[in-house]
Amino acid sequence: MMFAIELIILFLIFSTLIFLFLNVFLYKKRMNKRIKDFLPKSHSEEIADKHKGPSLLKRTFHSVALLFKDLQFSESTEKLLLEAGSKLKTEEFFALRIICSGGLGFLLFLFNFSWYISGIAVIVGFFIPKIYIKRKRKKRLTLLSYQLVEVLGMMTNSLRAGFSFMQAIQLVGKEVPDPIGPEFERIVRQTGLGIPLEDTFEELVGRLPNKELEVVIRAILAQRKSGGNLAELLQTMEETIRGRVRILEELNTLTSQGRLSAWIITLLPIGLGLYLALVTGDYFRPMLDHPLGWTLLFVSIVSNIIGWLFIQKIIKIEV
């Protein structure tokens, strides 16, 4: 009992120290990045940055990624990395998954966990980078809906001020951050190379699969074929998307209780099982050693997953 309590206290202290260290480190990193973005570099600093090679950790990571360079990866993985705005290549992403999988399993093995716990950790570690990329993709596409309102207002004012359509797109590319800004800059570069604007817009919808953006692109392409006042069209779409975003925010507020209930109901059995395993190991051991205990654990895991899916289905409302 005392050993379990001491282990939990050490884990909390260690986690807190890591969090504080990473928080300070990331804060300094963000400050240095902002200073570098706003202050121009001297000629000697630019030459030093060019000659300075990557760190040892990056070189090791790239060396591991080269081992998987000749493998054929699925198009869904490439599409996921592209939509998430990640700079990783498919072989680098696969190498990252292998490193996370092996590292997490080896870490639990060093702490004398059972072989099946380490095996589960290996499987979980392999899927952690993909879950992170999916969350990053979801946040990026959600931010796109909010940025689109600002972009449409900016383009409307630019067109009424006498800008051409391409000049308005170029202005958005310079003023708006990721994800829309760099994508509009890419459109300007592609049209400058002679690629038709319709093709660049189709590629944009493929890179950023967002319903609001797709509606805007279809409306702009239709207007270019049939004619009309583009500024009024953009203003109308801005008002429509603004109302849609407001409804989505209201729905997120109304379904927040359901999302919190899903997390509590899902994590409560897991937390209770970990507590019993640490505090009263002899009482919980039959669940891991006896076939009946394995059956009960399997049924509870399946029931937990089914409950999670049902709650997600209930709180997910299409607009």
Side-chain angles (χ1 to χ4, degrees), residues 140 172-173 176-187 189:
R140 191 168 184 257
V172 171
V176 181
D178 186 75
I180 289 187
E183 294 293 341
F184 272 44
E185 285 184 350
R186 185 171 181 174
I187 290 176
R189 292 195 302 268

Side-chain angles (χ1 to χ4, degrees), residues 137-181:
R137 171 187 177 273
K138 184 179 179 180
K139 289 182 179 180
R140 191 168 184 257
L141 296 180
T142 303
L143 178 62
L144 178 62
S145 300
Y146 293 92
Q147 282 188 333
L148 201 56
V149 177
E150 177 186 354
V151 167
L152 291 175
M154 186 183 299
M155 292 181 67
T156 301
N157 295 332
S158 300
L159 292 174
R160 287 175 176 172
F163 282 45
S164 66
F165 180 65
M166 291 305 301
Q167 287 176 335
I169 293 179
Q170 188 175 10
L171 178 64
V172 171
K174 291 181 179 180
E175 298 295 333
V176 181
D178 186 75
I180 289 187

Side-chain angles (χ1 to χ4, degrees), residues 95-110:
L96 179 62
R97 298 180 70 180
I98 293 293
I99 293 173
C100 289
S101 175
L104 187 59
F106 182 71
L107 182 63
L108 293 185
F109 179 76
L110 289 179

Side-chain angles (χ1 to χ4, degrees), residues 4-34:
I5 295 176
E6 291 175 358
L7 185 63
I8 294 173
I9 293 174
L10 287 176
F11 174 76
L12 292 176
I13 294 174
F14 185 69
S15 302
T16 305
L17 291 176
I18 291 178
F19 172 77
L20 294 175
F21 173 76
L22 291 177
N23 193 21
V24 173
F25 176 75
L26 292 176
Y27 176 77
K28 290 182 178 179
K29 188 176 180 180
R30 288 195 298 267
M31 290 296 296
N32 291 331
K33 185 177 182 302
R34 288 174 62 88

Side-chain angles (χ1 to χ4, degrees), residues 175-227:
E175 298 295 333
V176 181
D178 186 75
I180 289 187
E183 294 293 341
F184 272 44
E185 285 184 350
R186 185 171 181 174
I187 290 176
V188 173
R189 292 195 302 268
Q190 287 178 335
T191 53
L193 295 174
I195 301 175
L197 187 62
E198 290 77 7
D199 295 341
T200 59
F201 276 146
E202 292 293 339
E203 292 180 3
L204 175 62
V205 174
R207 292 192 300 270
L208 297 175
N210 181 276
K211 292 182 180 180
E212 289 84 2
L213 179 62
E214 186 175 358
V215 170
V216 171
I217 295 300
R218 301 302 176 199
I220 291 175
L221 293 179
Q223 187 275 338
R224 291 179 63 85
K225 293 180 180 179
S226 59

Side-chain angles (χ1 to χ4, degrees), residues 230-283:
L230 182 58
E232 292 184 0
L233 176 64
L234 295 178
Q235 184 178 6
T236 303
M237 288 190 294
E238 177 192 357
E239 296 173 355
T240 303
I241 295 174
R242 190 186 298 275
R244 179 184 171 88
V245 170
R246 186 179 66 252
I247 293 174
L248 287 175
E249 290 178 346
E250 293 177 358
L251 284 176
N252 288 331
T253 303
L254 294 174
T255 57
S256 59
Q257 181 179 358
R259 292 196 303 270
L260 181 61
S261 300
W263 282 106
I264 293 175
I265 293 173
T266 305
L267 296 178
L268 185 60
I270 300 174
L272 182 60
L274 292 175
Y275 174 77
L276 292 175
L278 291 174
V279 177
T280 57
D282 295 335
Y283 177 78

